[in-house]
Amino acid sequence: MSLFFVANAGVFAAAFWIWLLWMVLRTHEATGADVLAATGAITTTLVTVVLGARMALQRNAAIRHAETKKLLVDISWNAFAAAGNAEGAGKVVPFPISPVGGDRAGQRPDGDRASAFSRGLGGRDRGSNGGRRR
């Protein structure tokens, strides 16, 4: 919601209130035009209030959203910095790092490695040659 719509509704409300005031001061009897002016004044005033409240709520939501995004960036940056400084004492818990001895690739001898493409279901070879694909 933009300020343009709120201001536009406010201008219409002011015009209806001026018209109603002019009609009341001009005549002593209530006519159909007086009822129309009063209805327009009340309706446009309510529309102005509702649009203004909605604009204020959207502004507050936008501010909260920006603060949340900034907080997420700060958390991400702190976690990234803590992972780089895992040896030092930090306020942020570092990312878990797998131990060197427990590395899965390091447990196999070089000749025992098998390609994921050369094995089929149940560990059987897919191709007729049984070798690695390139």
Side-chain angles (χ1 to χ4, degrees):
M1 188 57 47
S2 68
L3 184 61
F4 171 76
F5 294 114
V6 177
N8 214 5
V11 167
F12 276 102
F16 272 112
W17 282 110
I18 291 170
W19 183 35
L20 178 62
L21 181 64
W22 180 72
M23 295 289 283
V24 167
L25 293 177
R26 187 171 158 247
T27 61
H28 298 293
E29 301 173 357
T31 61
D34 292 328
V35 173
L36 181 64
T39 304
I42 292 169
T43 303
T44 53
T45 301
L46 290 175
V47 167
T48 304
V49 169
V50 168
L51 289 178
R54 182 174 178 197
M55 188 179 74
L57 289 174
Q58 283 181 342
R59 182 175 180 267
N60 289 340
I63 291 171
R64 282 193 315 269
H65 180 71
E67 288 174 357
T68 303
K69 283 175 55 175
K70 184 177 184 275
L71 180 66
L72 287 174
V73 168
D74 289 343
I75 290 171
S76 175
W77 180 254
N78 285 338
F80 174 75
N85 299 328
E87 297 84 18
K91 296 179 182 178
V92 180
V93 177
F95 289 123
I97 300 173
S98 63
V100 177
D103 190 15
R104 297 183 87 190
Q107 291 177 349
R108 292 186 184 159
D110 288 337
D112 194 35
R113 293 188 182 181
S115 172
F117 296 113
S118 65
R119 290 181 292 160
L121 296 175
R124 295 175 296 198
D125 288 337
R126 283 188 190 176
S128 61
N129 62 0
R132 293 178 65 184
R133 291 187 185 188
R134 296 179 202 257

